Amino acid sequence: MKYLIGLFFIFFIYGFMTGQDLDIYKYQKNSNFELPAIPKEMTYEEFKILSTDLRMQDMMIATVFPGHIHFKIGEKKKGYYILGTRSLGYLGWGYLSVSNKSMTRIIMLDATGLDQTLNARDVIIAYGSLGLILGSYLYDWIHGKYTLEDKQTRIRYKYAPKRFEFGLNIIKTPGYQYPGLMLAFNF
């Protein structure tokens, strides 16, 4: 287990230091050279949110730094909640390590039922800690990605140019026997 964790950190540090991002999807735009027309009313924070992308590198960083995604998109309160939740999971894991109980041993042996000397409290702490660690990570990634896309859509809608619209309305005027049709153009 120690070698596996060490290997993970070596790959993480190597990936972080090389500077290249890993992508599963094709990245279509080059936002470093493209200068968009920015409306006068747009704030720097809104522009920053529009140019923020979540990549595989952010996913890897979020495994080590709890709440990284929410801190990146400006949701600091939720980022601190995630940090606290995952820290609570790490505290449970640390408690089991200090009391000389291996979390892997507890989970594997409890699932197979081979070890009857396990304390029920230790099993609950092991599963609870694992659930808090994994759950906070998944919440950080999935909810953070959803929140970023929602914020970007709201900003785009707010500053999008108003489109040409037309409609067909039935109007009734006093003095006419039949209703008339009106064609309206809105800009």
Side-chain angles (χ1 to χ4, degrees):
M1 183 69 177
K2 291 179 186 178
Y3 296 116
L4 184 62
I5 292 173
L7 188 63
F8 171 75
F9 280 115
I10 288 171
F11 282 127
F12 176 76
I13 291 171
Y14 175 74
F16 189 72
M17 298 303 270
T18 57
Q20 264 323 71
D21 195 4
L22 301 172
D23 279 330
I24 295 175
Y25 50 89
K26 186 175 181 179
Y27 193 60
Q28 296 286 341
K29 67 179 185 173
N30 188 349
S31 60
N32 293 330
F33 298 108
E34 193 175 298
L35 295 175
I38 302 170
K40 292 179 184 178
E41 303 86 24
M42 185 180 285
T43 63
Y44 174 71
E45 288 77 21
E46 289 174 332
F47 182 75
K48 190 174 165 184
I49 289 292
L50 277 179
S51 56
T52 300
D53 289 324
L54 294 178
R55 314 280 301 258
M56 289 292 291
Q57 185 176 13
D58 294 315
M59 192 177 196
M60 291 171 57
I61 292 172
T63 60
V64 178
F65 302 114
H68 166 73
I69 304 295
H70 281 80
F71 287 126
K72 185 174 181 175
I73 64 173
E75 297 284 324
K76 292 185 179 185
K77 189 174 182 181
K78 288 184 183 174
Y80 284 119
Y81 285 144
I82 293 167
L83 177 66
T85 303
R86 194 159 333 155
S87 298
L88 190 62
Y90 289 146
L91 281 174
W93 199 350
Y95 165 75
L96 293 174
S97 297
V98 168
S99 63
N100 292 328
K101 296 185 176 76
S102 170
M103 194 151 163
T104 308
R105 178 180 162 264
I106 290 173
I107 292 173
M108 292 301 194
L109 293 180
D110 181 55
T112 59
L114 296 176
D115 192 359
Q116 301 299 325
T117 63
L118 291 176
N119 188 354
R121 182 187 65 192
D122 294 337
V123 173
I124 291 171
I125 291 174
Y127 282 115
S129 297
L130 186 65
L132 286 175
I133 293 168
L134 290 176
S136 65
Y137 169 73
L138 291 174
Y139 180 81
D140 190 22
W141 176 251
I142 296 169
H143 183 263
K145 189 162 178 59
Y146 170 78
T147 304
L148 176 65
E149 290 173 359
D150 185 52
K151 281 183 170 185
Q152 288 174 339
T153 302
R154 288 178 187 274
I155 293 171
R156 282 190 204 103
Y157 180 77
K158 180 179 176 183
Y159 294 110
K162 302 304 178 214
R163 303 287 181 197
F164 174 78
E165 300 174 6
F166 71 94
L168 204 54
N169 297 329
I170 297 177
I171 56 171
K172 294 181 182 178
T173 56
Y176 287 107
Q177 202 169 13
Y178 302 105
L181 294 176
M182 177 179 74
L183 187 61
F185 294 96
N186 299 323
F187 295 94

